[in-house]
Every structure is written in structure tokens, then in C-alpha cells.
Amino acid sequence: MKYLCKIILLLLLQIVLYSTVKSQHSYQWSPERKLTEGYYDSNPDYIRDKFNISFNNNTFETLIFERKNSENDSVSRICVVNIDTSGITGNTVYISSGDFNDKNPVICIGDYYNHSIYKHAFAVWESQRDSVTYIVGCYFNINTGWQSPFIIDSSAQCHNPDVASIDSLNYSVVYESSNDIIYKEVNANTGIINYEYNLTDGEMSVCKTPKILENIFNIKKQVTYEKQNTDSTFYLYKRNLNFGNIWSNPETVYGVGDVRNAGFMTTYVDEIPLFESNQSGYWNIYSLHDNSLITINDFNDSADNTSLQRFFNNLITLDGYIYSDAIAYKENYSGINRLILNSTYASQKDTVIISGDPDKTSMTMSNGIYFQNYDFLIWVIYNKDSSGRSSLYGKSVIVRNTGISETGNILLDRYSLSQNYPNPFNPKTVINYELRVTSDLVSIKVFDVLGNEVSTLVNEKQTPGSYTVTFDGSNFPSGVYFYKLEAGDFAETKRMVLLK
């Protein structure tokens, strides 16, 4: 209860800060930009990034999507393309052959080079071949590029894959197969399956639409999925994969109305399941926090609101606690279908009218591209269907990531703060940082979720070199903490989680 009170207080502080920041910096959504044309392009998905944007300095992100020559073509290809702050940069790369009906691609990062360019990635999609639908994977290595695709599962009708990284070579893949939910750990370089498990073995009900989460307190992975009831509605369930490959028993996440799996949502504390339910008579997007049902406060309660895409970043900065947020979702109100886009730093919402079949329009949101002065640009990419063609379009908005704005990239060449390891931790964790110039005063301080300083780890003059410091949380309660490196004009903050 005490911790919940702190969260509520933090949210109240954020409302005040939100009003102040919004009055100082107003960034509008950009005009709509057409990114592709001449094909039937659909199902875009941004590369999944397990790293917080404050850890990276990337100047582009990778988008994956499916491409047909026309809507009724029986074959399609999987494409990847890089997008920077201006739009598509470089050539479109085809990573599937075009001999099959390849669709529903997803992609995730393995690791980064120099905090800006990813070194390894893994793409997964479903591939319809004759009367069977396979799950196929394709590995990216910065030295060799995209390798040849390989089959992950060809045993049955497989659909709706999702993927998360384990390390630069190994990835977790989850998908539905003949009404079951299958989990596999794949060496993406060799195609070898290291571990597999049927999460719904023996379950007589239809199970579908799995989603996987890789960053969760003291748990290796979490998988959520829908399970059908006797009245044909679906409830949302979850299972946790603990270290040692021990699975928890199935647990109901939510079971009111008809429920659809919408993935996961980042909060101040952790990542939690996100779902859609028609319990109110309309489809709306919900989540549960401390067993309380929560939703986005700007939804139209008299409309169907679905397909939420959400960017969330929180950290302590020189200016205090800055909140950055952008959202996009579909709205169906009185027969009018549109995309709703909103941002903390935009003075008003933006909308995109969907003139064709709304079920044929899908969208994705980027993880944040470095813009300038530590600001980040967020893209929402979507396809619109018209006369047998479908093009990818985009709108972007700037969000402020920190209060540091005077020195830009120069400071990144002089100082470096790494993510603590392990994270989550109990009770100790290690923090590495690097100085490339002498600093008269280097400090690393730890703050609680309300911004109160709870510990000083470093407070001295230091010469260039690599340093390691340990934070011991034995005397502190479980929760979210932030550690902040300050050296000269440089400051950077990262989040860590103490879990007892």
C-alpha cells in the first residue's frame, strides 16, 4: 500500500510537470508522408528493442513488412528497410525468396555496436507453402548481412509468431500451431532448436495469438495467449518461464467480456500484459496494475478503440523527472474509422482517416531515433488500402528524452554509462562507466522512484579509464531505482530494479 501511494504521488507530480513541459515545448505530429508505392505493402513491424532509448544513440531504425505486387497475388515477400528522421534511407532488402505466401513478420535486436548500430537481429514470419503454413526465421549479422531463411516449424498449421532475444545468437520464438501455443529457443546462426515446449499440451480449447516478453522481474520470459471458452469468447492467460526452464502453471490475466491479446505495456515499474475487451459494449484497450483495471484516459468511451501502439520512457534528468510518451490507436466511431495519434509534447491530437477496410490497416511505432540535443523522433508507420494497392505511410513526432541540451554528441565521446548488471537484482548489482577525460568531480548517485537521493556511490576526482562500482540494496525495499552519473557538464541516468 505504501509503494502504491508513492506511485500515485508520482503520477500526480507527472501531471503538474506535464503541463509545465508542454507549455515550454510543443511538437506537432508531422504531415503524412508516403514511404512506399507501386505494391501491396502491409503488416509493418518495427524492430523490437530490448534497450531503453536513453542507452542508445541510433540514427535509424529497421522496419519489416510484407510485399505483394497486388492484393490478390498468391505469393508475397518479406522486406526490411531502414528509416531515419527523414524517412526511408537506403534500399529495400528482400529477405525471402518470393516463391511462397510469406506474411505476419516480426523482428528483434540481438545487440548493438557502439550504442548506435545493431550487430545482430532475427526476423520471423509465417510462410504458406501448398496446404501447410510454416514458421520461418532469418538471421542478420552486421558482417555478413541477412542470411538465407530457414524453417523453424513445418509440422502443422502455424500462425502469429512473436520473437524475443536471449543473446546475440539465440532467440525465443512463440507461435500458434493447430490450436496449441509452441515455444522454441533457436540458434539463429545455425538454425538449431535448443529447447522447445508446448505451453498448452493437453488443452482441448482453442489457444491463439501468443505474445512474448523478455524483460520481467526475475523471470526468463513471459508468454500471454488467448484461450477459448465454451461460449466461444476468449480469455487472456499467461505462463512464466523461470530460469532452469521451469514453466509456471497457466494463470488467467483477464476474463470479462471477450478478450484479445494486445501484447505488453511499459509502466513506471515494469512491463505488464495489455489486452482488448468488449466488456463495456465497445472494444477498448486495458491493462491491470495492482489488480486494478487501467486504460488510456483520452479514449472515446462511445467508440471501439483497438490496436494500441505506445512509446514510453521515464528517467530522472537535470531538470527532474521528465515524462515522454506517444500513442497511436484505431478508433471506430459512428462508422468512421481513423487512427488517433497523441503525444505528451503535442498540443493536440492528430488523426488519419481510414477510407478502406480498417481490418486491412495495421500500424507500428518506433523505439525512438536520436534527433538532436537528446531529443528523439518517434515514427508511426501504417498502411492504407486503395484500389488493390497498399502503401506505407508515416507520421512522426519529437519527444524530449532528457533535460540536457547544451552539449549534444560531444559529451557521448567523453563519457559512457552502462546498464547495471544483473537487472533486476537482489541485493547487489554492478555499474560500469568510462571516462575519456579527467573530471574534477565524478558522482554516481542513486534515487528512488520519487526522486529522493538514497545513496552516493562515487563522489571524487577521477582520471580517464574504465570504472566499476557496486550498489548494495540490502537495506532498501524492492522497487524501481535510478542511478545518475554526473561528470563536468555531462549527466546520464538509467533505471534499475531491486527485486527481493
Side-chain angles (χ1 to χ4, degrees):
M1 179 60 70
K2 182 178 180 181
Y3 187 68
L4 178 59
C5 291
K6 287 185 176 182
I7 295 295
I8 294 172
L9 177 59
L10 176 60
L11 292 173
L12 293 174
L13 292 172
Q14 292 287 68
I15 293 172
V16 176
L17 183 58
Y18 168 86
S19 301
T20 303
V21 171
K22 199 165 185 176
S23 66
Q24 295 173 347
H25 304 282
S26 182
Y27 298 111
Q28 303 306 314
W29 287 91
S30 70
E32 183 178 75
R33 180 170 300 172
K34 194 173 189 179
L35 300 176
T36 67
E37 61 181 336
Y39 300 94
Y40 195 89
D41 295 335
S42 60
N43 287 330
D45 184 57
Y46 257 110
I47 196 163
R48 317 291 176 84
D49 188 352
K50 67 180 179 180
F51 303 100
N52 186 283
I53 65 165
S54 62
F55 181 69
N56 296 318
N57 187 32
N58 54 306
T59 56
F60 68 88
E61 291 186 287
T62 297
L63 183 77
I64 191 169
F65 60 96
E66 63 184 75
R67 168 169 286 179
K68 294 182 177 182
N69 289 326
S70 64
E71 181 179 8
N72 295 323
D73 274 1
S74 60
V75 297
S76 57
R77 294 170 290 179
I78 302 300
C79 307
V80 293
V81 67
N82 293 328
I83 297 183
D84 61 14
T85 56
S86 300
I88 290 179
T89 176
N91 298 322
T92 299
V93 178
Y94 295 92
I95 62 174
S96 69
S97 65
D99 297 326
F100 310 104
N101 186 10
D102 297 329
K103 56 186 179 180
N104 294 334
V106 289
I107 184 173
C108 74
I109 289 174
D111 59 358
Y112 274 99
Y113 173 75
N114 198 26
H115 295 186
S116 59
I117 301 174
Y118 63 89
K119 294 192 295 184
H120 303 92
F122 191 45
V124 179
W125 62 88
E126 58 183 84
S127 180
Q128 185 175 346
R129 307 183 180 192
D130 296 325
S131 59
V132 179
T133 303
Y134 298 173
I135 297 297
V136 174
C138 187
Y139 181 56
F140 174 85
N141 184 310
I142 192 172
N143 296 317
T144 58
W146 288 97
Q147 299 180 5
S148 298
F150 61 90
I151 295 173
I152 297 173
D153 194 329
S154 61
S155 61
Q157 298 298 330
C158 302
H159 302 282
N160 294 324
D162 200 11
V163 62
S165 67
I166 299 173
D167 53 44
S168 62
L169 291 177
N170 297 286
Y171 297 80
S172 298
V173 180
V174 65
Y175 53 93
E176 59 186 70
S177 175
S178 299
N179 299 330
D180 277 325
I181 305 299
I182 307 299
Y183 172 91
K184 291 188 177 183
E185 294 182 359
V186 184
N187 183 310
N189 187 48
T190 63
I192 295 174
I193 308 299
N194 297 317
Y195 170 74
E196 61 182 293
Y197 185 78
N198 185 342
L199 277 73
T200 54
D201 187 28
E203 178 62 62
M204 301 304 294
S205 301
V206 173
C207 297
K208 64 177 186 176
T209 323
K211 302 292 182 181
I212 189 167
L213 174 65
E214 62 181 302
N215 294 324
I216 191 168
F217 300 160
N218 208 33
I219 294 172
K220 186 176 178 181
K221 294 289 186 290
Q222 182 177 103
V223 176
T224 56
Y225 57 93
E226 301 169 23
K227 188 176 83 169
Q228 191 175 40
N229 302 307
T230 55
D231 62 357
S232 297
T233 62
F234 285 83
Y235 287 172
L236 185 65
Y237 288 78
K238 71 177 180 181
R239 294 191 71 176
N240 296 330
L241 176 59
N242 300 295
F243 293 96
N245 290 337
I246 300 173
W247 286 91
S248 67
N249 292 325
E251 179 182 348
T252 304
V253 176
Y254 197 71
V256 180
D258 199 3
V259 182
R260 299 191 295 219
N261 195 359
F264 297 90
M265 181 178 73
T266 302
T267 72
Y268 292 94
V269 181
D270 53 15
E271 293 190 70
I272 54 180
L274 189 69
F275 51 89
E276 300 171 358
S277 172
N278 64 356
Q279 62 182 31
S280 68
Y282 295 95
W283 284 101
N284 272 300
I285 303 162
Y286 302 96
S287 192
L288 288 170
H289 185 62
D290 288 337
N291 294 320
S292 296
L293 194 65
I294 59 175
T295 189
I296 304 297
N297 59 9
D298 67 348
F299 283 160
N300 181 348
D301 293 335
S302 299
D304 289 320
N305 304 291
T306 59
S307 307
L308 177 69
Q309 301 290 319
R310 184 172 186 262
F311 168 85
F312 180 94
N313 185 59
N314 58 294
L315 68 166
I316 298 172
T317 70
L318 295 176
D319 292 336
Y321 205 95
I322 297 294
Y323 174 78
S324 300
D325 201 357
I327 63 171
Y329 57 92
K330 291 182 182 180
E331 179 192 81
N332 181 331
Y333 179 62
S334 297
I336 299 176
N337 293 286
R338 57 183 185 167
L339 305 181
I340 307 294
L341 293 78
N342 205 356
S343 167
T344 298
Y345 296 100
S347 59
Q348 60 185 12
K349 297 180 185 179
D350 200 353
T351 60
V352 176
I353 298 297
I354 303 174
S355 56
D357 184 349
D359 291 334
K360 294 181 179 180
T361 295
S362 57
M363 63 179 168
T364 184
M365 181 175 285
S366 70
N367 302 290
I369 303 171
Y370 178 82
F371 186 66
Q372 61 184 15
N373 296 334
Y374 282 81
D375 291 348
F376 283 79
L377 184 138
I378 306 299
W379 278 102
V380 173
I381 307 293
Y382 49 91
N383 69 289
K384 291 197 296 185
D385 179 47
S386 177
S387 301
R389 298 290 185 183
S390 176
S391 297
L392 298 183
Y393 294 80
K395 278 178 168 283
S396 62
V397 70
I398 297 170
V399 299
R400 298 191 64 83
N401 188 41
T402 81
I404 307 168
S405 60
E406 295 79 16
T407 53
N409 268 337
I410 297 174
L411 292 180
L412 292 177
D413 295 331
R414 299 179 182 177
Y415 307 95
S416 176
L417 177 65
S418 298
Q419 188 66 47
N420 65 299
Y421 182 83
N423 188 40
F425 64 96
N426 180 28
K428 295 182 180 181
T429 189
V430 173
I431 299 169
N432 295 311
Y433 62 101
E434 186 174 352
L435 309 177
R436 299 180 181 91
V437 296
T438 298
S439 183
D440 289 337
L441 181 61
V442 176
S443 72
I444 295 183
K445 297 180 180 180
V446 179
F447 300 83
D448 64 17
V449 74
L450 293 179
N452 301 312
E453 181 182 333
V454 298
S455 179
T456 298
L457 305 180
V458 177
N459 192 40
E460 63 186 16
K461 179 178 180 178
Q462 291 184 334
T463 57
S466 298
Y467 294 85
T468 297
V469 63
T470 298
F471 173 63
D472 188 345
S474 298
N475 297 323
F476 298 100
S478 297
V480 176
Y481 292 86
F482 300 86
Y483 59 99
K484 180 178 181 181
L485 167 66
E486 289 186 284
D489 294 328
F490 176 84
E492 186 173 3
T493 304
K494 294 187 181 297
R495 187 179 79 160
M496 58 184 176
V497 178
L498 173 61
L499 183 65
K500 296 185 174 180

